[in-house]
Amino acid sequence: MKTKLLLALASLSMAVAYPQPKTLIERELTHHKEMGAFQKPANDVFYGAKQVTSRAGRYTELKVNAQHLESIVKAKSKFIALSIPFSETESKTLLLKRRELFVEKPKIIEESSKGESEKPLIDFVAYSGITDDDHTENSMVSMVFTGNTVRGIIS
């Protein structure tokens, strides 16, 4: 019993003592950052950070500048840097690279009693990336922007 416990503690201390290697996306975006691909972070996309506690848990609620959001969708820049507030005093910079979600332009086919009709897909742009923070390793960001909506996750 003691041997098993000591081995478990030894392996736990080794896991804590050695940092995890950078992920592929961290290496990729760090390279692009060093090559100057990212402009100064946009500070006006998200604002009004408010901490909310509900039955679902604790999260940060943000307001979105719709005009700036539309310009992101229209520009479809390959690289963007965004500053996102996490509280009234703290913000993080996100380094994002555009990703193509579909190989071909998708079609939406709607069936009705009159037959099939093709509907346009809403204009959107998808990004994945990292937080640009020396203290955060193995971060992951994924965001999809449409004309008036942002959906994503920051981990």
Side-chain angles (χ1 to χ4, degrees):
M1 182 73 168
K2 283 185 178 182
T3 306
K4 290 180 184 178
L5 179 61
L6 290 175
L7 289 175
L9 289 175
S11 65
L12 178 62
S13 66
M14 288 190 318
V16 173
Y18 298 106
Q20 294 290 323
K22 286 191 172 187
T23 62
L24 181 61
I25 195 166
E26 281 181 297
R27 290 193 304 263
E28 175 189 18
L29 292 177
T30 301
H31 165 75
H32 289 300
K33 178 184 174 187
E34 291 168 354
M35 298 303 290
F38 295 96
Q39 303 297 320
K40 181 180 174 199
N43 293 320
D44 59 349
V45 179
F46 304 102
Y47 63 96
K50 177 180 161 188
Q51 298 295 319
V52 177
T53 303
S54 70
R55 284 187 279 169
R58 186 170 173 230
Y59 59 93
T60 302
E61 182 178 271
L62 300 170
K63 294 181 181 176
V64 179
N65 180 328
Q67 289 177 333
H68 198 92
L69 193 58
E70 287 177 23
S71 69
I72 290 174
V73 174
K74 286 180 183 173
K76 293 186 181 352
S77 300
K78 187 168 184 176
F79 298 100
I80 61 173
L82 300 175
S83 180
I84 186 166
F86 279 90
S87 69
E88 292 178 9
T89 59
E90 182 186 10
S91 66
K92 300 244 184 225
T93 298
L94 308 179
L95 301 178
L96 303 171
K97 181 178 180 184
R98 187 184 73 232
R99 305 297 179 174
E100 299 301 328
L101 297 183
F102 304 105
V103 175
E104 297 177 12
K105 188 171 181 170
K107 297 177 183 177
I108 298 177
I109 308 294
E110 183 178 77
E111 282 189 38
S112 68
S113 59
K114 297 178 185 177
E116 292 182 350
S117 63
E118 191 172 319
K119 299 288 182 183
L121 186 66
I122 60 170
D123 199 17
F124 73 94
V125 62
Y127 289 93
S128 66
I130 59 173
T131 59
D132 185 26
D133 184 354
D134 293 334
H135 306 293
T136 306
E137 289 187 7
N138 298 326
S139 64
M140 177 64 190
V141 179
S142 181
M143 298 183 124
V144 176
F145 299 85
T146 65
N148 61 0
T149 305
V150 177
R151 296 200 185 254
I153 188 164
I154 302 170
S155 172

